[in-house]
Amino acid sequence: MAAVLFDFSGTLFRIESAESWLRAVLDESGTELEGRELVRTARALEEAGALPGGAFPVRVPAELAGLWEVRDRSAEWHRAAYTGLSRQVPLPDPALHDALYERHRTAAAWTPYPDAAEVLHTLRERGIGVGVVSNIGWDLRPVFRAHGLDAYVDAYVLSYEHGIQKPDPRLFAAACAALGAEPKDVLMVGDSRRADGGAAALGCGVHFVDHLPVAQRPAALRPVLDLVAGPSWRGRATGEAGPRTRATDARPRGAAEQ
């Protein structure tokens, strides 16, 4: 066993709720929204899919459809796609749309899953390489540093830095190369059967977890430690996720890929 690759959002970290996201930006800007209006606006932003790492849009506007499909291939497209979705929802100040995008890139907006540090630390102790492979439009390394997890990561392979996005096998190949590992000796851990499952085409093993709130998923990463201890994972996908709302995705409907 040479290395384990992890997805970011919904696998190692969880984004804050849409209401917490909106409230933080309103508080920082000194803008007030009455309680029920704040809840209504947060729900509308969530349905619009404006929170990266949060829900998929209920409907992607026609003018954003092309951009949405390639959003993770560049920082510019990522920002344009998500602020475009945000602008479908009226806010008290137009500047808040950009402020919301900036908020989601901060460490405060993300919480590690309870067992993330334990699993990453144990892999490091065993001499197993760790990589993070994410569909994303910004540098997530500061989030790992702020939460004390950067010391356990040997390589970050981010879609916007390579101009390709999961499930393209080339992104997983870049991660394997960065870790000096053959794909057959690598396990990919993620929450999206469609995106993270792309590693199987390269010959990697794949293990799925559910994209759930932090409090509801205290120990889903721990089975990884048992999987890497033996050869039983090779050549197949594993996972504890229950019934799907979408046949190709391990997450609840709407959980955006990162």
Side-chain angles (χ1 to χ4, degrees), residues 2 10 35 52 65 82 108 147 154 183 191 240 249:
Y82 281 103
H147 289 282
D154 299 296
D191 63 302
E240 63 185 34
D249 204 318

Side-chain angles (χ1 to χ4, degrees), residues 49-191:
L51 174 58
F56 277 125
V58 171
R59 182 187 65 84
V60 178
E63 66 272 19
L64 294 175
L67 186 61
W68 177 253
E69 292 301 317
V70 299
R71 64 193 180 281
D72 295 314
R73 296 183 190 176
S74 84
E76 179 183 3
W77 294 346
H78 192 270
R79 175 184 285 272
Y82 281 103
T83 56
L85 292 172
S86 175
R87 288 187 173 92
Q88 305 300 307
V89 180
L91 295 177
D93 181 349
L96 292 173
H97 296 289
D98 285 313
L100 285 169
Y101 185 84
E102 291 303 321
R103 164 71 186 183
H104 104 275
R105 303 199 306 172
T106 67
W110 296 90
T111 302
Y113 281 96
D115 55 344
E118 171 196 348
V119 170
L120 295 178
H121 174 74
T122 302
L123 291 173
R124 171 54 58 88
E125 284 188 328
R126 294 182 183 179
I128 295 172
V130 170
V132 173
V133 184
S134 178
N135 279 352
I136 200 165
W138 50 277
D139 186 4
L140 51 71
R141 295 172 182 86
V143 175
F144 279 76
R145 288 196 292 269
H147 289 282
L149 299 184
D150 179 66
Y152 306 127
V153 179
D154 299 296
Y156 296 90
V157 178
L158 311 181
S159 61
Y160 84 100
E161 294 180 338
H162 292 262
I164 49 179
Q165 61 193 47
K166 298 182 290 186
D168 192 320
R170 292 178 296 169
L171 202 63
F172 303 106
C176 292
L179 294 169
E182 293 295 325
K184 66 181 178 62
D185 298 321
V186 174
L187 177 67
M188 175 68 205
V189 181
D191 63 302

